Amino acid sequence: MSDALDASLRLVRAQTALVRRFDARLSGLHGVSLADFTMLLRLGQAPGGRMRRVDLAEALGLTASGVTRGLAPLERIGLVTREPDARDARVAYASLSGTGRQRLKEMLATAEETAAEVFAAPDWSEHEIGLLSALLTRLGGTGLPFEGGAAHRPAP
């Protein structure tokens, strides 16, 4: 097996382990998955806490239908609302509700704690975390929804 394939497979396994860990914490404490959290966080970073669904899909690397499917349960539990565009009936915005903004703050704290546990010292130094972040960026990991390597706080 080549080093490149070995590294690729290790990265896939690591990603799977991280998703499971974040899913377990977020689901257990907040009733949402990591995918739900990333949608909510991206909406929270958007001006006014809302985005066109097509823009949200692009930002998350999903299809428009994938975003629609992902937002449906978040709408049902009152974290997200659907807002029509006043000028174009074909356009719909996804918007954080007041409850969604509050719950997102709680979820963000849980995600920060989980990430801190994953990258706890002495196993990980700040330099190693920065290096890993830079290497993942080279692989196409843009950091969305965590632009610039640090989580942006949701809009008030």
Side-chain angles (χ1 to χ4, degrees), residues 43-100:
L43 285 174
Q45 293 172 337
R50 74 180 205 156
M51 293 180 77
R52 292 184 326 156
R53 289 166 178 259
V54 66
D55 295 333
L56 181 58
E58 184 177 325
L60 296 173
L62 300 172
T63 63
S65 63
V67 164
T68 298
R69 281 191 307 274
L71 288 173
L74 299 174
E75 290 173 9
R76 280 194 298 274
I77 62 175
L79 301 180
V80 174
T81 59
R82 180 186 304 244
E83 294 181 11
D85 186 297
R87 292 175 286 171
D88 188 344
R90 297 170 295 174
V91 175
Y93 288 89
S95 176
L96 284 179
S97 66
T99 301

Side-chain angles (χ1 to χ4, degrees), residues 8 11-12 17 21 24 43 58-59 65 71 74 79 103 111 117-118 122 128 137 145 152:
S8 296
L11 184 59
V12 169
R21 189 167 187 166
L43 285 174
E58 184 177 325
S65 63
L71 288 173
L74 299 174
L79 301 180
R103 297 271 312 279
E117 291 168 8
V118 168
E128 289 172 321
T137 299
H152 288 226

Side-chain angles (χ1 to χ4, degrees), residues 78-152:
L79 301 180
V80 174
T81 59
R82 180 186 304 244
E83 294 181 11
D85 186 297
R87 292 175 286 171
D88 188 344
R90 297 170 295 174
V91 175
Y93 288 89
S95 176
L96 284 179
S97 66
T99 301
R101 281 189 291 279
Q102 178 57 42
R103 297 271 312 279
L104 177 56
K105 289 177 188 175
E106 297 163 6
M107 291 174 208
L108 185 57
T110 298
E112 293 275 9
E113 290 169 10
T114 305
E117 291 168 8
V118 168
F119 291 106
D123 293 334
W124 290 90
S125 69
E126 285 188 37
H127 172 75
E128 289 172 321
I129 296 167
L131 179 60
L132 178 60
S133 182
L135 293 170
L136 291 172
T137 299
R138 281 178 53 189
L139 282 173
T142 62
L144 285 175
F146 309 103
E147 295 170 344
H152 288 226

Side-chain angles (χ1 to χ4, degrees), residues 12-67:
V12 169
R13 286 191 297 271
Q15 189 262 350
T16 300
L18 280 173
V19 169
R20 283 187 185 145
R21 189 167 187 166
F22 277 89
D23 274 345
R25 289 289 297 278
L26 290 166
S27 175
L29 293 172
H30 307 287
V32 298
S33 68
L34 178 59
D36 297 335
F37 169 72
T38 59
M39 275 195 234
L40 293 168
L41 183 57
R42 190 64 184 108
L43 285 174
Q45 293 172 337
R50 74 180 205 156
M51 293 180 77
R52 292 184 326 156
R53 289 166 178 259
V54 66
D55 295 333
L56 181 58
E58 184 177 325
L60 296 173
L62 300 172
T63 63
S65 63
V67 164

